[in-house]
Amino acid sequence: MRPGSIAIVGAAETTRMGHIPNASQIQLHADAARNAIRDAGLKPSDIDGYACAGEIPTNVAHYLGLTPKWVDGTYVGGCSFMLHVRHAAAAITAGLCSTVLITHGESGRSRIGLVRPTTQPEGYAGQFELPYGPSGPPTLFTIPVLRYMKKYGLTHEQLAMVAVVQREWAARNPRASFRDPITVDDVLNSKMIAYPFRILQCCLVTDGGGALILTSADRAKDFPQKPVYILGTGESTETPMISQMADFTSSRAFRVAGATAFAEAGITHADVDHAMFYDAFAHLPIFGLEDLGFVPRGEAARFIWERNTAPGGKLPVNTNGGGLSYMHSGMYGMYALQESVRQMRGIAPAQVEGAKVSVCHGVGGMFAASGTVIMSNQQP
């Protein structure tokens, strides 16, 4: 893909967010799709490419009345939507389709019509991790963060600061689930979930969704919204078992996806005005900042502590409040993408003044996969 040759021309989240007990998962997909199609000024019949994760694309396409010429059901966890953007850009470039809809819907809290894969006893994790006692992400994600703490001296206070800064951004967002200010002490005095994570360092559990519409940049002027151009994308995987990471203090998938996206975009870190790092747990922005090369190894915690990612900082990060305070229905990647789009359109509740380039980076599973999308409101 040539940088700037593909544009996002439609973007929207579900009408309601947080607790939606009267909508099934597929209805959340449909609500997000309807809102994005309306945002782009299109009709369902204009869509000829479709992608989703969590649900089977066949089911959602039928529910929406779509007849796509290109379909992608890639599912690698919460960053699946970053990969969908990459795959859609390639498909449009190749002429396989012209207008792609990507949807996400998840009844993570109400669990109505929830379709999610489960860990099978005969699978890798079922054989080699779960027998030793972990019970999902809160316990498994402790492995890399504890090694990072030991190797680089990350303190509990610094880890807590991630949540504090995220809440500062959330306070500016009327749609955020949690908006009340918190302090480092509040985080450290909150309920222990799995050492060293306390509840304010763990993601929300919500209902919601979102959708994006992509097309070629030469068509973007025909749409009502300001186009957001795709400069670069990247994707990778490492291991389905967090215990088998090559280095617990760094994600190989992060490094590959990030480097690929930057190389394709042809930009440097100094060109980046805004970033979204998937933050299901408080340590993920630390890994993201380092593995994508924004700061040297072992220095991300201090970078955040010194308020460089906070309102007014040199690199605003997770400006919607993130998975810790805004939304997290189970797969957060779509919400990160939505905020990058809002920032590039200049309509975000906590808008970064003059922002021209946004890096949106996601994780799938527990460092199992990764996807990176670099966007701009200016075409190269």
Side-chain angles (χ1 to χ4, degrees), residues 71-297:
V71 178
D72 185 5
T74 299
Y75 176 78
V76 291
C79 69
S80 298
F81 315 103
M82 284 79 171
L83 274 64
H84 291 161
V85 169
R86 187 173 201 238
H87 300 172
I92 294 168
T93 300
L96 302 180
C97 54
S98 63
T99 310
V100 174
L101 170 68
I102 303 169
T103 69
H104 171 50
E106 200 164 17
S107 184
R109 176 177 176 181
S110 300
R111 306 188 75 78
I112 300 178
L114 187 67
V115 179
R116 292 194 67 187
T118 58
T119 300
Q120 300 298 322
E122 66 273 18
Y124 285 131
Q127 294 182 74
F128 304 116
E129 286 186 341
L130 297 188
Y132 296 93
S135 56
T139 47
L140 288 166
F141 256 143
T142 62
I143 298 172
V145 75
L146 287 171
R147 179 66 62 84
Y148 187 99
M149 294 176 84
K150 179 179 177 63
K151 183 173 181 178
Y152 292 114
L154 170 67
T155 68
H156 291 280
E157 289 78 12
Q158 288 174 324
L159 189 60
M161 189 65 172
V162 176
V164 172
V165 169
Q166 305 277 118
R167 187 62 63 86
E168 289 183 32
W169 285 114
R172 303 178 177 210
N173 189 343
R175 296 254 284 177
S177 297
F178 292 144
R179 300 180 63 201
D180 293 338
I182 55 175
T183 66
V184 168
D185 285 342
D186 290 333
V187 177
L188 296 180
N189 289 324
S190 64
K191 180 181 178 182
M192 178 65 74
I193 300 300
Y195 185 85
F197 294 129
R198 295 182 178 273
I199 195 166
L200 291 178
Q201 296 165 313
C202 303
C203 64
L204 307 171
V205 181
T206 58
D207 306 325
L212 297 170
I213 295 176
L214 282 70
T215 192
S216 60
D218 57 10
R219 296 181 60 213
K221 62 181 182 299
D222 299 328
F223 292 82
Q225 303 297 342
K226 182 177 183 178
V228 176
Y229 300 100
I230 306 298
L231 299 186
T233 60
E235 63 185 291
S236 188
T237 65
E238 181 167 354
T239 170
M241 294 183 290
I242 198 167
S243 62
Q244 302 305 305
M245 290 177 69
D247 178 353
F248 288 131
T249 68
S250 174
S251 165
R252 186 173 68 206
F254 277 25
R255 298 195 307 271
V256 172
T260 302
F262 269 89
E264 183 176 57
I267 65 169
T268 69
H269 295 85
D271 297 317
V272 178
D273 306 301
H274 170 261
M276 297 297 295
F277 290 113
Y278 196 125
D279 64 321
F281 292 84
H283 66 306
L284 289 172
I286 293 173
F287 280 68
L289 283 166
E290 295 182 6
D291 286 338
L292 267 67
F294 284 96
V295 299
R297 188 74 60 207

Side-chain angles (χ1 to χ4, degrees), residues 328-347:
H328 196 293
S329 53
M331 292 187 286
Y332 172 75
M334 176 59 77
Y335 308 110
L337 288 163
Q338 293 286 332
E339 177 66 8
S340 283
V341 171
R342 286 191 291 263
Q343 288 289 342
M344 293 299 94
R345 285 180 169 182
I347 61 170

Side-chain angles (χ1 to χ4, degrees), residues 3-22:
S5 62
I6 304 298
I8 295 171
V9 295
E13 292 170 327
T14 47
T15 305
R16 290 187 294 153
M17 304 271 273
H19 184 208
I20 315 174
N22 60 343

